Amino acid sequence: MPQHATLTESCPAPPPGSRGIDEILAEARTRLRRLDPEQAHLACRGGAIMVDIRPAAQRAAHGTVPGALVIERNVLEWRLDPRCPARLPEAVDYDLPVLVICQEGYTSSLAAAALQDIGLHRATDVVGGFVAWRIAGLPALGPTSTHRTPSFAPPVTAGRTPH
């Protein structure tokens, strides 16, 4: 779960009919048959499409799943809705098995539920996200460095004190 700041002040009264994010997340997960990383890996080997919804900076900093389709969260529904003109070629029908992965497995649950809302009834997510994928020792690439390595070697005498 993303770390929440400790509230030192009281929370304002929520508007009538609103739901907190914890309630929304719990409801989304009741509709999903979430897969652990090993199950997700097997599902991909069996033809499911892994969709990485993390932003580019997060993928660069932590790595990626080889073969995953990268669709950032802000355009996910448009790219996978079979009826949308902005869809990707992979979005061929509503029976598409889609496994959504994010960094820790929270945003992916909300995203998978949103895909179910547009009719992709087999959409689900990976429990624990990319962090759990890495811990499980499953195939991963990166991370890619965001810093350039100097193209010159330091002098051999660097750090030595002169005699």
Side-chain angles (χ1 to χ4, degrees):
M1 173 184 256
Q3 293 181 353
H4 300 286
T6 304
L7 298 177
T8 55
E9 299 175 15
S10 65
C11 188
S18 68
R19 298 181 300 155
I21 188 60
D22 292 334
E23 184 180 352
I24 292 168
L25 180 62
E27 187 279 325
R29 287 180 171 170
T30 65
R31 304 180 329 179
L32 304 175
R33 188 177 80 62
R34 302 182 77 213
L35 303 180
D36 67 33
E38 291 85 1
Q39 292 169 323
H41 185 245
L42 290 173
C44 288
R45 292 182 65 182
I49 295 174
M50 172 80 69
V51 176
D52 190 336
I53 63 169
R54 296 174 299 152
Q58 216 169 33
R59 293 189 313 272
H62 300 283
T64 60
V65 175
L69 184 61
V70 174
I71 307 174
E72 290 191 15
R73 178 65 190 100
N74 62 324
V75 295
L76 182 67
E77 292 87 347
W78 287 270
R79 299 298 183 254
L80 291 179
D81 185 348
R83 74 192 108 205
C84 181
R87 73 182 176 277
L88 294 175
E90 292 84 356
V92 293
D93 65 50
Y94 295 96
D95 199 40
L96 189 66
V98 177
L99 304 176
V100 182
I101 192 166
C102 67
Q103 189 64 20
E104 296 181 2
Y106 294 92
T107 304
S108 58
S109 294
L110 299 175
L115 291 176
Q116 286 187 356
D117 288 343
I118 62 171
L120 297 171
H121 65 97
R122 295 175 67 190
T124 192
D125 75 326
V126 180
V127 176
F130 187 73
V131 169
W133 183 274
R134 277 279 196 186
I135 290 169
L138 295 167
L141 301 173
T144 58
S145 176
T146 55
H147 304 292
R148 295 195 129 229
T149 306
S151 59
F152 58 91
V156 175
T157 58
R160 293 186 187 166
T161 55
H163 296 282

